[in-house]
Amino acid sequence: MKFFAWAIAILSVNQIIWQTPNLPQMVYYAIFLLIAIVMVFYHPNIKINVCMLFFIIAIVCSIFVNYIPDYFMPWDRFFSFLMVILCVSPFLYNSGLTIFRKEIFDKVNILFVIIVIVSFLGYLAGVYSTADFSGFRGCTSQSMLLSPIAALTSLFCLHKAFCPEISKKEKYLFLGMMAIAFLMCLLAGSRASLAGGIVGILYYLKVRYRRNMKLFLKVLFSMLIVISVSYPLWESYLVTVAGKIERSREVGSMTTTRDVLWQVRMMEFKKSPVCGIGFNYVDETILPSVYKIAAKNGVIEPGSGWLFLLSSLGIMGTIPFLLLFGKPLFRIYKKAESYSDEILIGACLSFFAIHLIAEGYITSSGSFLFFYLWLLISLAQIPVRKQFFIKKTANREQKQRTCSIDFAEMSR
C-alpha cells in the first residue's frame, strides 16, 4: 500500500516540477485508473458515496443536454476526470481505501515541504529567477502553483508543531519551516493563496482552541507580535503582492484580473441555471475577445472555481459538491478532537474555500490542485472519518490534553 501511495504522490507532484520530465497526460490518467482498480480488488466491500454519484450524474447530464463544440472534448475530459476520482475521491470508499488515501495525503505533504525548502534555498542562492512578472515560481512550473503549495505547507507544518509527541526543539523546527513556507507564498505573489493561507491558519487555531477562547486570543496575539517585530526581515518578500495591489489600485479594482470573467460566468449561469451550459465548457460567444484562444483549442480560463461550477454544471452539480465540501468543513469545526488530522484537513479545505474564488480547477483533472482538492474531500467525509481517525489509547489522549503547544509561552 505504501508503495502505491508513494507512486501516486511522486507521480502527481512530478507533474508540477519544471526540471523533471513529465509523463504524457494519458499515461498519467491510466496509472491512476490502474492503481484504483488494484486497490478496489485489494479492498473488497466497496461502498458508493451518494453525493458523489449525483455529482457525476450532473456532469453527464450537462454534456447530454447541451451542445458543446468538439474542440472542448467534453467526453475525453469526463473520462480523464473519472480516472482520477476513482482513485482519490470519495466516490468509492471503505476503510482500506481511506487508509490508502491518507497515506497519499501524508506523502504529498512531505513532498510539499521538500519543494518549499528547495525553492527557498534556490532563492537565497540565486538559482531560481525572481524576474517573472507573475511572481517567484521556485522549482515549480509556475508561481500560481508554488503559492498555494507554500500556503498548504504552512498549514501542514503548523499541524506538525502541535504534535504532542515531539520535542520542543522539533516544534521550533516546524514553526521555522512554516515561516519559510509563508515567505515563499508571499514571494510567489498569489493574493488568493495568501488570503487562503491566513484563513486556514485562523481556522486551525480556532478549532484547536475552541474550548478555550482566552488561549486562542493569547496565541493569536503572540503570533501578531512576532510578525510585527520581524517585519523588517520579510518586508522584501512582499514585492510581488505589493506590485499587484498597486496595479489594481491604478485601474480602480482589486479584482481587475477577474471581474470580466466573473461577469461572464454569471451570464452563463443565467442561460442554464439547472444543468449548466456544459461540463468544462465556456460560452466563447458571450465575450469573443476574452475567449479567442478557447475557440481554437479548448483552453479554459474560468476565473473562479465556484462560479465555473455554477455556470458549467448549474444547480444540479453545485448542490452535491457543496455538500461534499461544506458539510465536513462545519462538522470538523464543531466536533474535531483537540489534536487530530481532521483539523489539518479542515484547515486545508478552508484554504480552498478562499482560493477557489479566484482559481478554477474543481473539474480540471489535469491540474495538480484538482488532485489534492479531491483527496482532501475524500478524507473529510463522515463515513471515512470513523474508519480512519480512530481514538488513541487513554495515555495518549491524556498526553494530547496536557502537552499541547502554547505559542504564548514559547514567545516569552
Side-chain angles (χ1 to χ4, degrees), residues 207-223:
V207 176
R208 178 69 180 79
Y209 293 114
R210 69 175 180 272
R211 295 185 180 91
N212 192 335
M213 182 58 65
K214 184 178 179 180
L215 187 55
F216 167 72
L217 294 175
K218 186 185 292 186
V219 168
L220 195 59
F221 184 68
S222 300
M223 293 180 71

Side-chain angles (χ1 to χ4, degrees), residues 105-131:
F105 181 69
D106 290 339
K107 305 302 185 283
V108 170
N109 284 326
I110 291 171
L111 295 176
F112 277 3
V113 174
I114 295 173
I115 287 173
V116 168
I117 297 299
V118 169
S119 296
F120 178 67
L121 294 176
Y123 170 73
L124 295 180
V127 174
Y128 301 128
S129 172
T130 59

Side-chain angles (χ1 to χ4, degrees), residues 191-206:
R191 289 168 291 175
S193 296
L194 179 59
I198 293 172
V199 169
I201 290 172
L202 291 175
Y203 179 98
Y204 187 96
L205 294 176
K206 184 63 173 66

